[in-house]
């Protein structure tokens, strides 16, 4: 398209000199002065010029739908690799089914039973009275004048509030947590470990244990290519680890627990995994979950000593996930903290082996998942690195103060002379005894069913039974693009309303199939749930045989 007439002069009123678009700006001036032909020419020419300029855009595009800056193709590729089976597709479908039930859609069941996650209160466990009394007093201090609360609960609330800015649970705390609570955590660890000292300066409060675990992993991950950090994690594992490693672009190094020996940890398997990994990455850390999730095993002291020796010899940073330390049920099983065993082994282990151990208010007898409280204790960490850890935590300001307050009560519970002691102890023991009974019941019912085998639930809150699936079912799952145990769990959900997590979400040996089910449902619901699940497995097996 040619402009009919001579180009405008730079002296034309309103003419601006802007590099290659000088003429077009002049045309705009003339168009404003009544030259409609010039305006049409301008729009075509200006669009061409602007599209040719760096960062330029065609006017048609500018007037059309705007292209998204953030798409699946342009987003962080590491995030796309993150998977978290505990809240994955199965749970999303369970939520849809719950909505359909509320809308009156007919189903072969009347409720969805979420046995997929260790959420104690959601499954009907009652909160511990003392914890909630003190928390209520902290959140609403006017209640301190009420006669409905015991005096020891009031004293505890007052001491917590005095340590808060403005005497309010709504204030920020220090990034590593309220100092008196850190001191109480140190005293708790010292009592737990038979008098072995704990330094409050080595304790960092956190938003549940998960946040602290990810923080430590961030410190560890470095390098590129074959020098990229590798982290040994147990298989089966809690998916937090695989998800965090994927997000950090670290290398996941699998070591397999021995299912035939009640999910025992074998140092020979650790060595196999380590040697194999050194060909493509730099292993720097070893993660242990004790008691196990999802497998429920409790490590013996001898096993812990062997793991510490292995980590020391191979120069690996130890991460001990001990959030289920209060949940030990099996006769002959006992929780041993890695910190205690490490210190009792003496030099050089006690003075040189690096360790981070984690605990939480979400599990145990407390089950306060939603309040998000926990801590990490670091041992033998380089002081300069510890300062960097403090910096990392300061970026996130501080852990939630309600969670810190509950943690304070967990690590410093009522004393025998306190008014709340008797009720506190009774409620705590009742929760743990109930969990122990349900652990035995789960094992007993599953092991009576052909095609299901369940190891003893020695601790934690889950069973991880192995299931046999017919070849036709495996083939059908492949046709649908599903893992065989995912196919089984989806069918289970659709036909019974029972929501469990397939073993493929936790990792398992090739050719084996499992699911994880929490033992948290109330006793009156657990037995029917177990029986219904067992009956479904039998029906499923017949259908595909």
């Amino acid at each position: 398209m040619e402009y009919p007439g001579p180009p405008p002069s730079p002296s034309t009123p309103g003419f601006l000199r802007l590099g290659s678009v000088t003429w077009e700006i002049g045309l705009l001036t003339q168009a404003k002065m009544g030259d409609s032909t010039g305006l049409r020419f301008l729009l075509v020419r200006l669009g061409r010029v602007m599209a040719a300029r760096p960062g330029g855009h065609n006017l048609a595009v500018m007037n059309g739908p705007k292209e998204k800056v953030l798409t699946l193709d342009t987003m962080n590729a590491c995030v796309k690799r993150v998977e978290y089976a505990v809240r994955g597709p199965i749970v999303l479908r369970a939520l849809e089914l719950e909505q359909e039930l509320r809308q009156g859609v007919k189903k072969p069941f009347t409720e969805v039973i979420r046995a997929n996650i260790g959420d104690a209160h959601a499954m009907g466990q009652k909160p511990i009275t003392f914890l909630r009394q003190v928390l209520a007093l902290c959140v609403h201090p006017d209640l301190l004048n009420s006669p409905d609360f015991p005096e020891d609960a009031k004293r505890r609330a007052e001491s917590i509030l005095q340590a808060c800015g403005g005497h309010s649970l709504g204030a920020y705390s220090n990034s590593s947590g309220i100092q008196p609570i850190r001191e109480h955590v140190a005293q708790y660890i010292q009592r737990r470990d038979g008098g072995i000292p704990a330094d409050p300066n080595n304790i960092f409060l956190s938003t549940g244990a998960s946040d602290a675990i990810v923080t430590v992993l961030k410190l560890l991950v470095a390098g590129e290519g074959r020098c990229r950090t590798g982290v040994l994690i147990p298989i089966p594992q809690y998916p937090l680890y695989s998800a965090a490693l994927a997000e950090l672009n670290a290398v996941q190094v699998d070591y397999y627990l021995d299912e035939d020996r009640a999910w025992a940890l074998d140092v020979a398997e650790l060595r196999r995994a380590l040697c194999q990994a050194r060909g493509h990455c730099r292993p720097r850390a070893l993660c242990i979950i004790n008691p196990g999730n999802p497998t429920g095993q409790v490590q013996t002291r001898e096993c812990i000593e062997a793991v510490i020796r292995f980590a020391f010899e191979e120069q690996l940073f130890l991460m001990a996930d001990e959030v289920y330390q209060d949940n030990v049920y099996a006769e002959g099983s006992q929780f041993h903290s890695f910190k205690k065993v490490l210190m009792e082994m003496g030099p050089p282990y006690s003075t040189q082996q690096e360790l981070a151990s984690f605990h939480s208010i979400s599990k145990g007898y407390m089950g306060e998942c939603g309040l998000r409280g926990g801590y990490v204790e670091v041992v033998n960490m380089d002081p300069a690195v510890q300062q960097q850890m403090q910096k990392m935590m300061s970026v996130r300001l501080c852990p939630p103060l309600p969670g810190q307050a509950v943690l304070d009560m967990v690590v410093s519970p009522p004393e025998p002379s306190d008014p709340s002691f008797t009720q506190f102890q009774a409620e705590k023991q009742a929760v743990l005894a109930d969990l122990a009974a349900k652990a035995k019941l789960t094992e007993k019912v599953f092991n009576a069913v052909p095609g299901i085998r369940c190891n003893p639930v020695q601790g934690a809150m889950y069973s991880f039974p192995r299931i046999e699936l017919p070849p036709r079912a495996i083939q059908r799952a492949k046709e649908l693009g599903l893992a065989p145990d995912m196919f089984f769990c989806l069918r289970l959900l659709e036909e019974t309303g029972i929501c469990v997590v397939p073993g493929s979400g936790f990792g398992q040996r090739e050719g084996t199939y499992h699911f994880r089910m929490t033992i948290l449902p109330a006793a009156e619901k657990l037995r029917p749930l177990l029986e219904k699940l067992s009956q479904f497995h039998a029906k499923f097996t017949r259908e595909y045989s």
Side-chain angles (χ1 to χ4, degrees):
M1 179 178 182
E2 296 294 333
Y3 179 72
S9 167
S11 63
T12 302
F15 197 106
L16 298 177
R17 182 169 298 279
L18 294 173
S20 62
V21 294
T22 301
W23 193 29
E24 281 69 32
I25 300 300
L27 287 171
L28 178 59
T29 302
Q30 290 194 8
K32 286 180 178 178
M33 296 170 67
D35 188 347
S36 60
T37 303
L39 177 59
R40 289 195 302 273
F41 181 84
L42 165 67
L43 293 176
V44 175
R45 174 67 177 142
L46 184 58
R48 291 173 182 169
V49 172
M50 293 302 293
R53 289 168 60 82
H57 297 281
N58 188 285
L59 285 178
V61 174
M62 292 174 68
N63 292 329
K66 179 179 177 292
E67 181 180 339
K68 299 289 186 186
V69 173
L70 184 62
T71 68
L72 281 175
D73 291 331
T74 61
M75 70 174 287
N76 186 334
C78 294
V79 173
K80 289 194 286 186
R81 293 199 296 270
V82 171
E83 294 184 2
Y84 189 66
V86 174
R87 291 177 180 261
I90 289 275
V91 180
L92 296 178
R93 180 55 186 151
L95 292 171
E96 292 174 353
L97 288 171
E98 287 177 334
Q99 179 66 21
E100 291 172 15
L101 286 171
R102 285 192 291 269
Q103 294 170 348
V105 179
K106 296 298 182 183
K107 300 289 179 184
F109 47 86
T110 58
E111 67 173 331
V112 173
I113 301 176
R114 292 202 217 169
N116 61 294
I117 193 167
D119 190 349
H121 293 179
M123 300 303 293
Q125 180 179 310
K126 299 297 182 185
I128 300 297
T129 302
F130 180 74
L131 305 187
R132 288 303 182 89
Q133 285 176 331
V134 175
L135 185 60
L137 292 164
C138 287
V139 171
H140 190 48
D142 287 352
L143 293 174
L144 288 166
N145 299 318
S146 170
D148 297 331
F149 292 84
E151 290 304 313
D152 58 334
K154 292 180 179 181
R155 289 194 301 270
R156 176 60 62 86
E158 287 171 342
S159 69
I160 292 172
L161 290 173
Q162 285 173 5
C164 298
H167 293 180
S168 171
L169 220 57
Y172 287 131
S173 74
N174 292 334
S175 299
S176 51
I178 296 171
Q179 185 61 25
I181 298 179
R182 295 171 72 196
E183 292 169 1
H184 291 163
V185 171
Q187 293 162 10
Y188 160 80
I189 293 171
Q190 185 166 332
R191 290 194 306 272
R192 181 198 67 187
D193 292 345
I196 295 171
D199 185 348
N201 293 319
N202 293 334
I203 293 164
F204 299 83
L205 307 192
S206 57
T207 307
S210 299
D211 187 55
I213 289 168
V214 173
T215 296
V216 173
L217 287 173
K218 285 179 179 178
L219 294 172
L220 284 159
V221 174
E224 299 293 339
R226 295 182 63 174
C227 293
R228 191 65 174 165
T229 294
V231 179
L232 280 79
I233 65 171
I235 299 295
Q237 53 107 17
Y238 176 47
L240 164 70
Y241 292 94
S242 55
L245 294 176
E247 183 180 355
L248 295 171
N249 199 26
V251 180
Q252 175 179 320
V253 179
D254 298 342
Y255 67 89
Y256 290 90
L257 302 176
D258 189 344
E259 184 172 10
D260 294 332
R261 295 172 48 227
W263 300 112
L265 192 161
D266 187 352
V267 170
E269 169 62 12
L270 289 178
R271 201 170 301 282
R272 177 209 62 78
L274 181 70
C275 293
Q276 184 174 319
R278 280 182 169 153
H280 62 272
C281 69
R282 184 186 174 195
R284 302 182 70 200
L286 168 59
C287 297
I288 308 290
I289 308 175
N290 179 47
N293 175 12
T295 44
Q297 85 285 3
V298 179
Q299 303 292 352
T300 64
R301 182 189 173 93
E302 292 72 24
C303 177
I304 293 172
E305 288 183 2
V307 168
I308 291 172
R309 290 192 189 94
F310 172 80
F312 181 82
E313 293 165 3
E314 301 295 346
Q315 291 187 292
L316 296 172
F317 189 105
L318 265 175
M319 298 177 64
D321 183 338
E322 299 176 333
V323 302
Y324 295 99
Q325 59 189 259
D326 290 308
N327 301 105
V328 178
Y329 318 121
E331 292 183 13
S333 294
Q334 180 182 351
F335 172 74
H336 302 276
S337 78
F338 266 76
K339 161 80 176 298
K340 181 175 189 289
V341 176
L342 176 64
M343 292 298 111
E344 290 179 345
M345 288 174 70
Y349 308 104
S350 61
T351 56
Q352 297 182 39
Q353 176 60 49
E354 296 154 277
L355 168 70
S357 56
F358 308 89
H359 195 18
S360 167
I361 65 172
S362 299
K363 309 304 176 184
Y365 59 90
M366 307 81 70
E368 295 285 5
C369 303
L371 292 175
R372 312 307 301 136
Y375 72 79
V376 54
E377 181 189 21
V378 296
V379 177
N380 292 325
M381 178 177 274
D382 185 311
V385 174
Q386 198 160 321
Q387 289 180 0
Q388 295 296 314
M389 183 171 173
Q390 174 72 48
K391 178 185 73 176
M392 288 278 292
M393 291 188 159
S394 69
V395 171
R396 303 180 74 167
L397 300 178
C398 69
L401 269 68
Q404 294 190 50
V406 173
L407 178 64
D408 186 67
M409 294 172 257
V410 170
V411 299
S412 184
E415 297 287 342
S417 59
D418 291 332
S420 300
F421 177 79
T422 301
Q423 182 179 7
F424 176 85
Q425 285 295 112
E427 290 177 351
K428 173 182 176 180
Q429 295 306 320
V431 169
L432 295 176
D434 186 50
L435 287 171
K438 291 188 287 191
K440 290 181 179 179
L441 175 65
T442 301
E443 176 192 352
K444 179 181 178 181
V445 172
F446 278 150
N447 283 333
V449 179
I452 301 181
R453 189 184 76 182
C454 183
N455 273 320
V457 183
Q458 299 173 346
M461 295 178 172
Y462 317 96
S463 63
F464 196 68
R466 180 171 175 173
I467 52 175
E468 295 178 10
L469 299 178
R472 285 184 59 226
I474 296 171
Q475 179 59 37
R476 180 57 180 151
K478 290 180 180 178
E479 292 169 359
L480 295 171
L482 299 172
D485 46 14
M486 171 66 86
F487 178 52
F488 173 85
C489 291
L490 280 171
R491 284 284 306 272
L492 173 70
L493 175 62
E494 295 288 346
E495 296 187 26
T496 69
I498 298 172
C499 180
V500 297
V501 190
S504 50
F506 300 89
Q508 56 198 351
R509 284 196 178 275
E510 186 72 26
T512 67
Y513 308 106
H514 303 77
F515 62 83
R516 188 190 81 163
M517 190 195 85
T518 180
I519 62 172
L520 287 172
E524 63 270 17
K525 287 188 175 183
L526 182 61
R527 183 180 285 276
L529 182 156
L530 293 169
E531 292 173 350
K532 187 184 293 187
L533 199 158
S534 301
Q535 291 164 5
F536 172 81
H537 179 266
K539 172 181 174 294
F540 184 87
T541 301
R542 287 194 302 271
E543 179 180 347
Y544 286 97
S545 294

